Amino acid sequence: MTADGNGEVIGEAAPKGRPVAEALPVGLPLAPLSPSAASEALLRRAMLVVAIGLSSVLGYFTTFALLAIALAVFAFFALRRATVTIPFDLPAKLFLGAFTLLFISAVVTMRQPSDLLQTLNFSAMLLYAPLALLFRRAAGPANSRKLADFALFGSAAGLLMALYFNYVEGMQRAGLGSPITDPIRLSNTALLLGFFAMIGAAAATGRQRFIYLLGPLMALAVIFASGSRAALVAFPVLLFVAAVLLVRHKLLAAAVSVAVLAGFGLIAYFADLAGARSSSMFDILSRLAGGDNPADLGTTIRFILYRAGAQAFTDAPLFGHGWGQLMTAIVPYLAVYELVHAELPHLHNDALNFAVASGLFGLVVYLLLLVLPVLSCIFSPHDSQYRTRLYGCSLLSVSYLVLGLPDTMLSFPLHNTLYVVLTAVLLNYCRDERA
């Protein structure tokens, strides 16, 4: 019985170098699925569907669904501990170490026991090991293509959600005012899935591989529908990553990337994106270059938060102020007319969130998490899927870095959970040999 729930062929083992189908008589019945194998396959498919296929639709609820499935995976393997051992490889140790540092800083800074509950936002990192085992037991040479199929479906689902918000709900920005998502979460998730679909362009052959180019295009449509400038800035950066890692001729990749970046800049400048939000980026940059304050309200608020956050970090540089005091810590550094900004949920910068909440411990965790997928991939087998696996891991790290500069990614429960799950999928499912 195979780990992914597929029945094995009954009979003698195939001679070395010959497929089983050629070694055994045609028509020999397959063994029925055992309840254990069927349950394992169901958990794996549920994780892939929720994390990649439906995360744009489920929005905030994706976090709870993924954690529930991950806990079920842990319980499944715990009940089978006599025959199955959950290994702790390099990424599992790094995720565990990252959570431990956050927990230590939370213990030091807690004012009441309930403050420790904030660390549950990072609990997915504790469940990486059973998730890795779940996907490693179903590894196979065709899995990169399967991942791309899920991502392409997820991109289409995100586009349908954006169109629903715009044309059915009548929202000016897709997701604005929705109880299950927001424009930033919707656009960032769609952008990530769209470029994950590009894996199919390298994993597939023939003309059918070009269908996966629809992934980034659908993601771009979601970005325009949601009016997210951060995702718009990240789009050409991720396009450059895809060109460098997926196109074999590097000179051609560089030339295409430069041309695409130049063309994309012109498109972004002339686009009417939710009240010309895209073109306002150029006005902001020109004002900053001239030493003036940015005229855009959102950017002005961010600079206020960054200034106050940097000052708050110097008050508690080692362990921080605690995640429960993330915004109250900046109050002493806000003018009276700026106090309203302390009511925001976060500092709109990932590194600053970790620094103010957990001090230097938090910054170490932030940097560790960013390099974890790529570092772990480098030490993974150089099999037939290594190139697409390296692209996927690089995509994770770069996208979370860029999108986390003006907002929150790794410090947000939804994206933190997705980060752990997608890392487990890339490093364990998208490889040739099973555990």
Side-chain angles (χ1 to χ4, degrees):
M1 181 63 58
T2 59
D4 61 350
N6 295 324
E8 292 180 346
V9 179
I10 300 176
E12 298 178 353
K16 187 175 181 180
R18 291 183 60 192
V20 175
E22 296 179 6
L24 297 176
V26 178
L28 198 63
L30 299 178
L33 287 176
S34 70
S36 177
S39 298
E40 184 177 340
L42 180 62
L43 288 171
R44 186 162 38 249
R45 289 165 188 154
M47 186 65 71
L48 290 171
V49 169
V50 173
I52 305 175
L54 296 177
S55 52
S56 293
V57 177
L58 297 176
Y60 305 141
F61 293 106
T62 303
T63 308
F64 306 108
L66 290 178
L67 289 177
I69 299 172
L71 287 173
V73 171
F74 174 76
F76 175 80
F77 287 125
L79 292 174
R80 301 180 62 197
R81 62 184 180 275
T83 57
V84 178
T85 302
I86 300 179
F88 275 82
D89 54 5
L90 175 63
K93 294 175 182 177
L94 293 178
F95 273 124
L96 180 60
F99 182 87
T100 301
L101 290 177
L102 291 178
F103 187 79
I104 291 174
S105 66
V107 170
V108 173
T109 59
M110 73 173 181
R111 298 181 180 180
Q112 51 191 2
S114 60
D115 289 345
L116 293 179
L117 294 177
Q118 296 288 336
T119 58
L120 292 179
N121 291 332
F122 305 96
S123 58
M125 295 191 290
L126 296 175
L127 297 170
Y128 173 86
L131 290 178
L133 178 61
L134 177 73
F135 289 113
R136 182 76 65 87
R137 286 163 61 85
N143 285 354
S144 290
R145 171 76 177 274
K146 295 177 182 178
L147 173 63
D149 291 338
F150 276 108
L152 190 64
F153 177 85
S155 301
L159 178 58
L160 290 176
M161 282 295 291
L163 294 175
Y164 171 80
F165 285 138
N166 282 151
Y167 296 104
V168 178
E169 295 288 340
M171 298 178 181
Q172 185 180 8
R173 297 178 60 191
L176 186 63
S178 169
I180 65 170
T181 190
D182 59 71
I184 304 298
R185 247 40 67 191
L186 178 62
S187 59
N188 289 359
T189 304
L191 179 66
L192 190 61
L193 295 178
F195 277 92
F196 260 101
M198 288 282 285
I199 291 176
T205 57
R207 293 182 179 179
Q208 58 184 341
R209 68 183 184 273
F210 293 111
I211 192 174
Y212 296 99
L213 299 180
L214 292 175
L217 294 178
M218 288 189 289
L220 186 60
V222 175
I223 293 171
F224 275 74
S226 63
S228 173
R229 290 177 301 190
L232 190 65
V233 171
F235 187 92
V237 177
L238 299 188
L239 198 61
F240 178 80
V241 173
V244 171
L245 294 180
L246 293 182
V247 179
R248 294 185 180 276
H249 301 287
K250 302 307 179 186
L251 184 60
L252 174 62
V256 171
S257 298
V258 171
V260 170
L261 288 175
F264 184 82
L266 292 175
I267 294 173
Y269 181 78
F270 290 107
D272 180 14
L273 177 56
R277 284 176 57 87
S278 59
S279 60
S280 67
M281 289 188 300
F282 296 90
D283 178 64
I284 293 168
L285 292 175
S286 64
R287 287 176 177 270
L288 289 175
D292 297 331
N293 291 325
D296 180 82
L297 178 60
T299 306
T300 301
I301 294 174
R302 280 176 169 82
F303 274 87
I304 293 173
L305 294 175
Y306 298 163
R307 170 183 52 78
Q311 292 175 298
F313 169 68
T314 61
D315 287 341
L318 185 57
F319 297 107
H321 296 270
W323 290 96
Q325 289 76 45
L326 177 63
M327 298 308 293
T328 56
I330 69 171
V331 170
Y333 304 103
L334 296 176
V336 175
Y337 61 90
E338 297 172 341
L339 290 176
V340 65
H341 304 322
E343 298 177 5
L344 293 169
H346 52 79
L347 295 171
H348 285 76
N349 178 274
D350 248 352
L352 203 54
N353 285 340
F354 279 97
V356 174
S358 297
L360 289 175
F361 276 41
L363 284 177
V364 169
V365 168
Y366 174 66
L367 295 175
L368 176 62
L369 291 177
L370 283 179
V371 302
L372 190 154
V374 176
L375 181 64
S376 300
C377 181
I378 291 174
F379 289 99
S380 68
H382 287 221
D383 53 20
S384 66
Q385 299 179 84
Y386 179 76
R387 183 165 64 102
T388 53
R389 187 165 63 247
L390 180 62
Y391 162 72
C393 291
S394 302
L395 183 68
L396 267 182
S397 297
V398 173
S399 63
Y400 272 67
L401 171 64
V402 176
L403 294 171
L405 292 176
D407 209 88
T408 173
M409 289 292 290
L410 284 170
S411 53
F412 193 81
L414 167 62
H415 290 305
N416 183 276
T417 304
L418 280 176
Y419 194 78
V420 174
V421 173
L422 293 176
T423 300
V425 172
L426 287 167
L427 294 177
N428 300 279
Y429 188 65
C430 297
R431 64 164 63 194
D432 293 350
E433 291 187 6
R434 297 185 179 184

